[in-house]
Amino acid sequence: MAKIEPSIKSALTQYATAHRGIFSYSQLAQYQNRFHLSGSELEAALLEVAAEFATPPISQFYVGAIAWDDKSQQAFLGANLEFSHQALSLVVHAEQAAINNAWLNGATEISKMTINAAPCGFCRQFMNELSTAKELEILLPTGKTSLSDLLPTSFGPDDLGNSEKLFSQARHLAANETSPASISAALYRHYLRAYCPYTHNQSAVEIKLDTGECFYGRYAENAAYNPSLSPLQSALSQLAMSGKVLSEVNVVGVTLLEKQGCANQLQVSLAVLKAYNAEHLLTHIEIE
């Protein structure tokens, strides 16, 4: 496929950086008209832009993905994220990053995924947790397929008696409900909306910069356990989608909030932060 013109890529990258990789369908239509792009050309351009946000110090393999939500009329970019001198099991895959971006930022479902290469088995299993898994379309450079075709006789939430699915749960703060003292309202909201039907460990992370800007992540579990996305991985992926890296910004603190009696995220969070020599910045809080 032909490379996208630099002016197109530059315009899309600037917008993606300013909006953390989130495009409304109307905004994409404007870019499509402005640059006279076909639908497939626009998708190819977005994949190139998404891959620009990748941080792969180990593999040097840049991957981009797009999660589309037809209900909210938004597209969410994602890119792979690796941590130097840490196990590859801690990486965030591009498909995870795009779904995470959508989940944290107002999407109601994932209608389809666009990926610049066939998804690995890990990502197929992660996508199988979605509320739309059975109907999910996968758009690849080689053509259109479905998650059902890529993952036949799958193992998923239903096999563990879990009727809840990623994106189908909706826990919100009641009007008279406030966050506990010393915990920001935004962090508490993410904590309440964590997807944890297997361990019941509601958990979320807040990364606060010296500029006052904050990045949040929350726990997304998987029936196969290993593809689960930790709160810190989720938050760091959001940081990456804003064009930032933890080692290049001034962090005031990182707060990990977990459910008392179910906590299981401290050690993996410390391992990830070690890659940035930032483990001393972590505050761990458990609440009932």
mmCIF file of all heavy atoms in Angstrom, residues 224-244:
data_model
loop_
_atom_site.group_PDB
_atom_site.id
_atom_site.type_symbol
_atom_site.label_atom_id
_atom_site.label_comp_id
_atom_site.label_asym_id
_atom_site.label_seq_id
_atom_site.Cartn_x
_atom_site.Cartn_y
_atom_site.Cartn_z
ATOM 1 N N ALA A 224 -9.347 -15.669 30.261
ATOM 2 C CA ALA A 224 -8.114 -16.465 30.197
ATOM 3 C C ALA A 224 -7.023 -15.885 31.096
ATOM 4 O O ALA A 224 -5.885 -16.355 31.080
ATOM 5 C CB ALA A 224 -7.614 -16.554 28.752
ATOM 6 N N TYR A 225 -7.370 -14.835 31.856
ATOM 7 C CA TYR A 225 -6.498 -14.199 32.858
ATOM 8 C C TYR A 225 -5.295 -13.475 32.265
ATOM 9 O O TYR A 225 -5.128 -12.283 32.475
ATOM 10 C CB TYR A 225 -6.045 -15.209 33.926
ATOM 11 C CG TYR A 225 -7.189 -15.843 34.684
ATOM 12 C CD1 TYR A 225 -7.058 -17.088 35.277
ATOM 13 C CD2 TYR A 225 -8.407 -15.187 34.792
ATOM 14 C CE1 TYR A 225 -8.125 -17.679 35.968
ATOM 15 C CE2 TYR A 225 -9.475 -15.763 35.475
ATOM 16 C CZ TYR A 225 -9.330 -16.999 36.058
ATOM 17 O OH TYR A 225 -10.370 -17.575 36.730
ATOM 18 N N ASN A 226 -4.425 -14.167 31.520
ATOM 19 C CA ASN A 226 -3.182 -13.538 31.063
ATOM 20 C C ASN A 226 -3.388 -12.278 30.209
ATOM 21 O O ASN A 226 -2.634 -11.323 30.368
ATOM 22 C CB ASN A 226 -2.313 -14.545 30.317
ATOM 23 C CG ASN A 226 -0.895 -14.028 30.102
ATOM 24 O OD1 ASN A 226 -0.344 -13.378 30.972
ATOM 25 N ND2 ASN A 226 -0.334 -14.310 28.954
ATOM 26 N N PRO A 227 -4.380 -12.234 29.310
ATOM 27 C CA PRO A 227 -4.547 -10.992 28.534
ATOM 28 C C PRO A 227 -5.136 -9.826 29.311
ATOM 29 O O PRO A 227 -5.429 -8.787 28.737
ATOM 30 C CB PRO A 227 -5.498 -11.415 27.404
ATOM 31 C CG PRO A 227 -5.465 -12.890 27.380
ATOM 32 C CD PRO A 227 -5.232 -13.318 28.792
ATOM 33 N N SER A 228 -5.361 -9.997 30.618
ATOM 34 C CA SER A 228 -5.903 -8.890 31.415
ATOM 35 C C SER A 228 -4.992 -7.663 31.332
ATOM 36 O O SER A 228 -3.770 -7.794 31.205
ATOM 37 C CB SER A 228 -6.055 -9.313 32.884
ATOM 38 O OG SER A 228 -6.925 -10.416 33.016
ATOM 39 N N LEU A 229 -5.598 -6.493 31.395
ATOM 40 C CA LEU A 229 -4.849 -5.233 31.318
ATOM 41 C C LEU A 229 -4.855 -4.578 32.694
ATOM 42 O O LEU A 229 -5.912 -4.271 33.238
ATOM 43 C CB LEU A 229 -5.494 -4.305 30.285
ATOM 44 C CG LEU A 229 -4.759 -3.009 29.951
ATOM 45 C CD1 LEU A 229 -3.433 -3.294 29.246
ATOM 46 C CD2 LEU A 229 -5.630 -2.110 29.070
ATOM 47 N N SER A 230 -3.659 -4.372 33.256
ATOM 48 C CA SER A 230 -3.567 -3.791 34.597
ATOM 49 C C SER A 230 -3.905 -2.300 34.561
ATOM 50 O O SER A 230 -3.794 -1.651 33.516
ATOM 51 C CB SER A 230 -2.154 -3.983 35.164
ATOM 52 O OG SER A 230 -1.266 -3.032 34.600
ATOM 53 N N PRO A 231 -4.318 -1.727 35.695
ATOM 54 C CA PRO A 231 -4.637 -0.297 35.733
ATOM 55 C C PRO A 231 -3.464 0.596 35.307
ATOM 56 O O PRO A 231 -3.657 1.578 34.601
ATOM 57 C CB PRO A 231 -5.008 -0.044 37.199
ATOM 58 C CG PRO A 231 -5.307 -1.362 37.779
ATOM 59 C CD PRO A 231 -4.562 -2.380 36.995
ATOM 60 N N LEU A 232 -2.242 0.229 35.722
ATOM 61 C CA LEU A 232 -1.095 1.066 35.365
ATOM 62 C C LEU A 232 -0.785 0.975 33.875
ATOM 63 O O LEU A 232 -0.487 1.988 33.236
ATOM 64 C CB LEU A 232 0.137 0.675 36.184
ATOM 65 C CG LEU A 232 1.376 1.544 35.938
ATOM 66 C CD1 LEU A 232 1.095 3.016 36.258
ATOM 67 C CD2 LEU A 232 2.565 1.062 36.760
ATOM 68 N N GLN A 233 -0.878 -0.229 33.305
ATOM 69 C CA GLN A 233 -0.689 -0.357 31.858
ATOM 70 C C GLN A 233 -1.726 0.487 31.124
ATOM 71 O O GLN A 233 -1.414 1.153 30.131
ATOM 72 C CB GLN A 233 -0.833 -1.820 31.443
ATOM 73 C CG GLN A 233 0.311 -2.726 31.859
ATOM 74 C CD GLN A 233 -0.041 -4.183 31.607
ATOM 75 O OE1 GLN A 233 -1.047 -4.690 32.102
ATOM 76 N NE2 GLN A 233 0.775 -4.852 30.815
ATOM 77 N N SER A 234 -2.947 0.445 31.614
ATOM 78 C CA SER A 234 -4.036 1.216 31.021
ATOM 79 C C SER A 234 -3.733 2.711 31.045
ATOM 80 O O SER A 234 -3.904 3.420 30.043
ATOM 81 C CB SER A 234 -5.326 0.916 31.803
ATOM 82 O OG SER A 234 -6.387 1.746 31.425
ATOM 83 N N ALA A 235 -3.252 3.213 32.184
ATOM 84 C CA ALA A 235 -2.947 4.645 32.326
ATOM 85 C C ALA A 235 -1.744 5.047 31.486
ATOM 86 O O ALA A 235 -1.729 6.114 30.858
ATOM 87 C CB ALA A 235 -2.707 4.985 33.797
ATOM 88 N N LEU A 236 -0.714 4.201 31.464
ATOM 89 C CA LEU A 236 0.483 4.521 30.684
ATOM 90 C C LEU A 236 0.189 4.517 29.183
ATOM 91 O O LEU A 236 0.781 5.279 28.420
ATOM 92 C CB LEU A 236 1.605 3.530 31.002
ATOM 93 C CG LEU A 236 2.274 3.718 32.368
ATOM 94 C CD1 LEU A 236 3.229 2.564 32.659
ATOM 95 C CD2 LEU A 236 3.011 5.058 32.441
ATOM 96 N N SER A 237 -0.729 3.667 28.773
ATOM 97 C CA SER A 237 -1.145 3.669 27.375
ATOM 98 C C SER A 237 -1.817 4.989 27.014
ATOM 99 O O SER A 237 -1.604 5.539 25.933
ATOM 100 C CB SER A 237 -2.095 2.497 27.112
ATOM 101 O OG SER A 237 -2.522 2.487 25.769
ATOM 102 N N GLN A 238 -2.631 5.525 27.946
ATOM 103 C CA GLN A 238 -3.253 6.828 27.724
ATOM 104 C C GLN A 238 -2.209 7.942 27.651
ATOM 105 O O GLN A 238 -2.315 8.857 26.844
ATOM 106 C CB GLN A 238 -4.248 7.119 28.849
ATOM 107 C CG GLN A 238 -5.542 6.355 28.736
ATOM 108 C CD GLN A 238 -6.414 6.864 27.609
ATOM 109 O OE1 GLN A 238 -7.117 7.856 27.751
ATOM 110 N NE2 GLN A 238 -6.382 6.181 26.480
ATOM 111 N N LEU A 239 -1.197 7.849 28.496
ATOM 112 C CA LEU A 239 -0.101 8.817 28.459
ATOM 113 C C LEU A 239 0.587 8.780 27.094
ATOM 114 O O LEU A 239 0.858 9.824 26.490
ATOM 115 C CB LEU A 239 0.903 8.501 29.565
ATOM 116 C CG LEU A 239 2.061 9.482 29.764
ATOM 117 C CD1 LEU A 239 1.584 10.726 30.507
ATOM 118 C CD2 LEU A 239 3.206 8.836 30.541
ATOM 119 N N ALA A 240 0.830 7.569 26.594
ATOM 120 C CA ALA A 240 1.489 7.407 25.292
ATOM 121 C C ALA A 240 0.633 7.981 24.169
ATOM 122 O O ALA A 240 1.148 8.579 23.217
ATOM 123 C CB ALA A 240 1.785 5.932 25.032
ATOM 124 N N MET A 241 -0.689 7.821 24.262
ATOM 125 C CA MET A 241 -1.578 8.324 23.212
ATOM 126 C C MET A 241 -1.690 9.844 23.218
ATOM 127 O O MET A 241 -2.278 10.425 22.313
ATOM 128 C CB MET A 241 -2.969 7.696 23.341
ATOM 129 C CG MET A 241 -3.025 6.197 23.042
ATOM 130 S SD MET A 241 -2.155 5.700 21.517
ATOM 131 C CE MET A 241 -3.007 6.665 20.283
ATOM 132 N N SER A 242 -1.110 10.488 24.223
ATOM 133 C CA SER A 242 -1.055 11.956 24.220
ATOM 134 C C SER A 242 0.301 12.439 23.710
ATOM 135 O O SER A 242 0.604 13.625 23.748
ATOM 136 C CB SER A 242 -1.309 12.507 25.623
ATOM 137 O OG SER A 242 -0.199 12.263 26.465
ATOM 138 N N GLY A 243 1.123 11.480 23.267
ATOM 139 C CA GLY A 243 2.437 11.825 22.742
ATOM 140 C C GLY A 243 3.505 11.975 23.801
ATOM 141 O O GLY A 243 4.572 12.525 23.545
ATOM 142 N N LYS A 244 3.243 11.451 25.003
ATOM 143 C CA LYS A 244 4.190 11.600 26.111
ATOM 144 C C LYS A 244 4.734 10.240 26.537
ATOM 145 O O LYS A 244 4.112 9.210 26.301
ATOM 146 C CB LYS A 244 3.517 12.273 27.313
ATOM 147 C CG LYS A 244 2.994 13.680 27.051
ATOM 148 C CD LYS A 244 2.330 14.248 28.285
ATOM 149 C CE LYS A 244 1.870 15.681 28.092
ATOM 150 N NZ LYS A 244 0.769 15.803 27.134
#
